[in-house]
Amino acid sequence: MNVGVQRGAIAVVQVLGLAVWFSMSAVVPSLRGDWGLTAAGAVWLTASVQLGFVAGAVASTVLNLADRVPAHRLLAASAAAAAVCTVVLAVFADRLGTAAPLRFLTGMFLAGVYPTGMKLMASWAGSAGRGRTMSVLIAALTLGSTLPHLIAGLGSLPWRGVLLTAAAAGFAGSGVALLLVRPGPHTTPTVPVRNARYALTMFTERGPRLANLGYFGHMWELYALWTWIPAFLSAAPAARGLPGSVEITVFLSMGIGGAAGCLLGGWGADRFGRSPAAVTALLLSGLCCLLSPLLFHAPPPLLFAFCALWGAAVIADSGVFSTSLSEVADHRYIGTALTAQTAIGFALTVVTIQLTPLLAEAVDWRYAFLLLAPGPLAGALAMRAYGDRGLPVRHRAQVTDRP
């Protein structure tokens, strides 16, 4: 099979399959009028997806699904099921009490899309180019996650139409997964028995432990920023001067800027090493958190440039953590390790997604993102300690492994 075709197909599935993730966040302004949705309700529309993802990832980890079920079939079934949940919500939901459980189920099924996609992408890359390969997957995730903002910002669709469009993308992604995607040569046979303990055992090993800690610091910031950057921009004095609507600005800065950051981060991980690439991105995004109060009153061009830089930095390291873990974890349980990593990481996102608007209500949106700064800064410390394990492959043989 052609390597480029397979990598491209897996990336397409991620863009299309994950379009349902932030579909409700993109239509919150409409729901405030139609449902009388409160700020707390808006939080739960996002948090319920994250909680569902955690539940699905935990179930997948316990059952070792990503290592026992043919990955392309798991990917296709999960994308289709998430799309079905979105269709049901668009057609039947008329209040938060109906929508939240459906969003929880959507998150559960998305746990079979993202981690499974990581395993498949890693199977089509050797260690020498795995950083760049995984960055393509994360770039696709970034575009897919912000796609609903583009749909809502460009068209005049009602909120139900936005959801149905996102669901149609999910179904298309499922079809691509089933018809085109297959596991690559850099993979291990499916595991015949369960080993749920590996989700905990890997933390006793220094390499996986540090790669996970770096990822957790990254996740403390990422999804809270993606969820609340529209509110931050809407509250900024320069909001009306931004290019297009707030939704378009979010897609350009977090989506397009984020995709570019992913590709740059993947190149840096292969060229300079996993650890230097991750530390650079984490420190830069942490600095953006600290500078956000100063840029809140910036002129529109400067505010947009700042958001684009932040959007690139906040996601540039995501593929580095997946790459690092896939290289140091037990190769029989790479799918389980990646799924457990994302489960814990997404559980952390629920905390910051909930706390950020509470802080904004207390001190104003100008200062709300200061809450996120400790995550990337702590993650940078972990990845600095990761050290030699993250050197480029061509240099690794020159280094003595340390315990």
Side-chain angles (χ1 to χ4, degrees):
M1 294 184 186
N2 185 281
V3 174
V5 170
Q6 283 297 313
R7 292 175 181 173
I10 296 167
V12 166
V13 174
Q14 295 298 302
V15 172
L16 298 175
L18 295 175
V20 300
W21 200 317
F22 280 89
S23 55
M24 290 300 287
S25 300
V27 299
V28 161
S30 298
L31 296 179
R32 294 188 192 281
D34 288 5
W35 291 2
L37 188 70
T38 64
V43 169
W44 278 107
L45 278 179
T46 300
S48 58
V49 182
Q50 308 299 97
L51 289 170
F53 186 97
V54 172
V58 169
S60 178
T61 300
V62 170
L63 298 173
N64 295 115
L65 287 182
D67 295 310
R68 299 175 68 212
V69 177
H72 63 290
R73 294 179 184 174
L74 178 62
L75 181 62
S78 299
V84 167
C85 292
T86 305
V87 170
V88 173
L89 193 158
V91 174
F92 296 106
D94 57 2
R95 63 184 186 276
L96 178 63
T98 305
L102 287 167
R103 294 300 286 164
F104 181 88
L105 288 174
T106 302
M108 284 191 66
F109 292 121
L110 289 176
V113 176
Y114 174 36
T116 308
M118 285 193 289
K119 179 182 178 179
L120 282 164
M121 193 65 92
S123 76
W124 284 100
S127 293
R130 187 168 292 181
R132 281 167 290 182
T133 302
M134 294 297 280
S135 73
V136 172
L137 180 90
I138 306 301
L141 172 144
T142 304
L143 289 174
S145 297
T146 55
L147 187 59
H149 290 285
L150 179 64
I151 296 170
L154 285 181
S156 55
L157 291 173
W159 68 266
R160 295 183 191 274
V162 172
L163 296 190
L164 290 173
T165 302
F171 285 122
S174 174
V176 172
L178 191 60
L179 296 175
L180 296 181
V181 173
R182 294 295 182 272
H186 300 281
T187 189
T188 54
T190 54
V191 179
V193 295
R194 296 208 308 258
N195 183 14
R197 288 185 178 181
Y198 188 70
L200 299 176
T201 302
M202 66 175 173
F203 286 96
T204 65
E205 304 167 10
R206 187 171 187 270
R209 181 172 65 251
L210 291 173
N212 277 308
L213 290 176
Y215 177 76
F216 300 154
H218 155 81
M219 290 296 280
W220 179 265
E221 176 192 19
L222 176 62
Y223 276 85
L225 176 66
W226 277 1
T227 299
W228 298 115
I229 190 66
F232 177 86
L233 291 174
S234 296
R240 293 187 178 180
L242 291 170
S245 62
V246 167
E247 290 82 6
I248 296 298
T249 298
V250 170
F251 178 77
L252 292 175
S253 59
M254 299 292 130
I256 302 298
C262 289
L263 299 177
L264 183 61
W267 171 82
D270 285 339
R271 177 66 179 82
F272 302 106
R274 315 311 188 206
S275 178
V279 169
T280 300
L282 286 162
L283 290 178
L284 186 55
S285 63
L287 181 61
C288 287
C289 293
L290 296 175
L291 292 177
S292 59
L294 299 178
L295 275 296
F296 186 76
H297 287 285
L302 182 56
L303 179 60
F304 177 77
F306 172 70
C307 288
L309 174 64
W310 199 353
V314 75
I315 191 65
D317 50 353
S318 189
V320 181
F321 302 117
S322 307
T323 301
S324 300
L325 187 60
S326 73
E327 291 172 340
V328 296
D330 186 328
H331 282 202
R332 295 172 301 169
Y333 301 105
I334 288 176
T336 297
L338 290 170
T339 305
Q341 182 189 63
T342 55
I344 299 171
F346 277 87
L348 285 174
T349 70
V350 176
V351 177
T352 50
I353 286 172
Q354 297 254 19
L355 291 181
T356 300
L358 294 178
L359 182 60
E361 187 176 346
V363 300
D364 190 65
W365 275 106
R366 179 180 181 182
Y367 303 101
F369 288 143
L370 291 175
L371 171 72
L372 307 182
L377 298 179
L381 292 176
M383 289 307 291
R384 186 175 184 276
Y386 184 83
D388 294 340
R389 288 170 176 78
L391 283 175
V393 172
R394 62 182 177 277
H395 297 319
R396 199 173 295 155
Q398 305 171 11
V399 180
T400 300
D401 192 31
R402 293 194 292 268

